[in-house]
Amino acid sequence: MTRTAILLSTVVALAACQTAPAVSPLAEPGNPALQASRTAGVAPVLATADAVDPHSYARPLEARVTNVALDLAVDFAAKRLAGTATLDIDRRPDARVIVLDRKGYEVESVTDGAGRPLAYSLGAADEELGTRFQIELGPDTRRLVIRYRSAPNASALQWLTPAQTAGKQQPFLFSQGQSIENRSWIPTQDSPGIRQTWSARISVPSPLTAVMSAPGGGEDGDIGGPKDKARTFAFSMPHPVAPYLIAIAVGDLKFQSLGPRTGVWAEPVTLPAATRELEDTEKMVMAAEQLFGPYRWGRYDMIVLPPSFPFGGMENPTLTFLTPTFIAGDKSLTSLIAHELAHSWSGNLATNATWADFWLNEGTTTYAERRIVEAIYGPEVARQQVALGIGALGKAVEENGGATGADTRLAVDLRGRHPDAGLTDIAYEKGAAFLRMIEANVGRERFDDYLRGWFARHSFQPVTSALFLADLRQHLIRGDRALEQKLQLERWVYQPGVPANSVPADPQAFAEVDRAAVAAGRGALPTAEWAQWTTDERLRFLQRLPRKQGRAALTRLDQALGLNQTGNMEVKFAWLELAVANRYDPAVPALEQFLTSQGRGKFVRPLIRTLAADTSWGRPIAARVYRRARPLYHPIVTRNLDELKL
Ligand code: BES
Ligand code: ZN
């Protein structure tokens, strides 16, 4: 980094600090940086250049949504949510219009709170961002009522037939809002910096149950009726949240309590296994509170979704959404819960203002996840997960252009691309490595104090990279020039690659396993050891094997370790990656089963991509499997795979 660049970014960081007072700009009309009386009541950081969201049409400084009230009916036959969204808005007195985001939903009418029609217009359609939805405001308009219905192919929603669920009896619906998909079913300003309180009344066909990412749920007394009738559920989120965190699931759902403020929803056939796998959840919440400060959301419940859920987990407030593929029977994949729980602080309290700063959500969460794992499962386990993370970071740097690749920056330029282009291990693992480096330099106690303070100071607020660096300087570094010099903050955030001051993996973490991988490369397989190893050790072993292997070697490996038979989906994935890279036919039945029985993007995308790129051996397999599996996959997964033209 050049000296001017360092200077410049320091100036930017300081400027961000000055424009980020703790009070609302409306409450402080003298604030010169903000021209307070001329902006709607936004979080102060939104008035900085870093917080301008290129993935939303909204112009929050002119007029912004403060509360969303949904009243929707779920229609499985039509694959539509239909009803009204009532939006409360905060606006500059001279604002003439408010701009919302819209992707595909059909607008029937727009009125103000008194039922007077308001004129509106839709802009040109962008395949990913959708369209501008501009509504004209009267001089006193403070409320909008939008009557609408979502499109059957809404990108946030997946409608499952009974056959596509675990229980096979009832249909299922779930949403996935992050990053910019909620604009396909909620008419609002779909930008993570524009926080909104919200509520919903949802009516569903009996006997289905609706759950959402907010307190409430109990069936509305007077409406729940006899069988073929609708059941209506009500929810209300009292805290302002980023709109991508509004989520719904509807299906044959049962609840099991896990502790005083924790519990799990699942289809009845999945509930017993889910309950066993999640038995440490209440302990995790307590450990997280010790580390990061009070849990601010009331309950921490989870829902285990049908196998097509496209992610491992999604941190929807009060109700984490989970893939069933984390259920291994031995709790060995529950770092996923630590991760989604940690988002209750990093991401859901302090939220990236734009997707360019996604690392603030995911990197901080990945760091926090391993601190929770350490508290619950001990330092040995955490040390191994840190080492796996460092391995993944090396791979991510390679895949993103190496040490000079622009996309290896933490603050990444996503203009002109879908925000999910930033969904890489750079955000997760370089972000986590950044925080571990700071921890190593200031000591754990001081860093923990700082982190608690960071969450407390920015609870229910959008944050940017610049704001984080300014906050570090104000509350942690406090003018210590030697420390400032050591940390290299700007280099970590704004420059590519992994700086030299990162903390290396502990070579002891996997010493035995790494030796075994080398020996296995020479033909000596660790048959006895494998049985004793943890899931993390097995994963490390499979990742460390030579990438090119002949058929005979793979057969011996499979037979010695029972890889085609493993029920652990992470281990199976690691094995199938190796098998596919080596055109190993005997793994094809297991591969087909794997790809047609779950739709987690992290698993299915790379396998299908690798197959498709192998024109003679893999592509026919990919075509055959994809045709069968596609109905199971969520729109955000098929969006990428359809491009392969299988
Ligand atoms: N918030 C993410 C999932 C996400 C990111 C959805 C970006 C859409 C866009 C969630 O917290 C997450 O990181 N899930 C991981 C699991 C985790 C243990 C790394 C996943 O789904 O694999
Ligand atoms: Zn996450």
Side-chain angles (χ1 to χ4, degrees), residues 221-242:
D222 46 355
I223 299 168
K227 271 243 166 227
D228 47 71
K229 281 250 191 91
R231 304 173 75 190
T232 301
F233 298 84
F235 307 89
S236 176
M237 172 49 75
H239 302 295
V241 297

Side-chain angles (χ1 to χ4, degrees), residues 328-490:
D330 60 1
K331 301 192 279 180
S332 65
L333 300 176
T334 47
S335 58
L336 172 68
I337 313 306
H339 180 97
E340 305 312 335
L341 170 64
H343 274 304
S344 306
W345 288 263
S346 44
N348 296 359
L349 284 184
T351 310
N352 52 214
T354 76
W355 300 112
D357 289 327
F358 180 59
W359 77 271
L360 279 171
N361 278 17
E362 297 299 343
T364 311
T365 295
T366 301
Y367 170 82
E369 163 198 335
R370 296 187 182 132
R371 295 295 306 277
I372 297 171
V373 165
E374 177 173 332
I376 304 290
Y377 300 111
E380 298 285 299
V381 175
R383 170 175 87 153
Q384 290 190 332
Q385 294 187 1
V386 167
L388 287 175
I390 292 171
L393 173 56
K395 197 169 161 214
V397 169
E398 229 170 82
E399 288 168 357
N400 286 280
T404 57
D407 286 344
T408 65
R409 299 175 175 160
L410 284 179
V412 45
D413 184 357
L414 294 169
R415 283 172 299 182
R417 292 188 283 174
H418 193 285
D420 294 356
L423 181 45
T424 71
D425 271 328
I426 298 298
Y428 287 76
E429 297 296 349
K430 184 179 173 184
F434 179 38
L435 299 203
R436 276 198 305 275
M437 180 281 295
I438 302 173
E439 183 205 314
N441 275 285
V442 302
R444 186 165 263 197
E445 207 180 320
R446 228 175 114 193
F447 189 59
D448 285 358
D449 274 345
Y450 169 74
L451 212 50
R452 271 189 295 275
W454 162 254
F455 295 133
R457 285 186 289 280
H458 303 285
S459 284
F460 308 111
Q461 297 289 327
V463 291
T464 61
S465 287
L467 179 61
F468 181 62
L469 297 193
D471 192 271
L472 275 170
R473 292 193 159 101
Q474 191 182 345
H475 297 281
L476 185 69
I477 303 175
R478 301 157 137 257
D480 179 339
R481 291 172 63 178
L483 179 59
E484 174 78 53
Q485 184 62 33
K486 271 196 257 172
L487 297 182
Q488 302 279 302
L489 299 181
E490 267 74 19

Side-chain angles (χ1 to χ4, degrees), residues 166 270 304-309 311-312 322-328 569 597-598:
T270 312
V304 178
L305 290 147
S308 63
F309 186 61
F311 289 98
L322 295 171
T323 173
T325 64
F326 87 98
I327 300 177
M569 299 299 256
S597 60
Q598 52 78 38

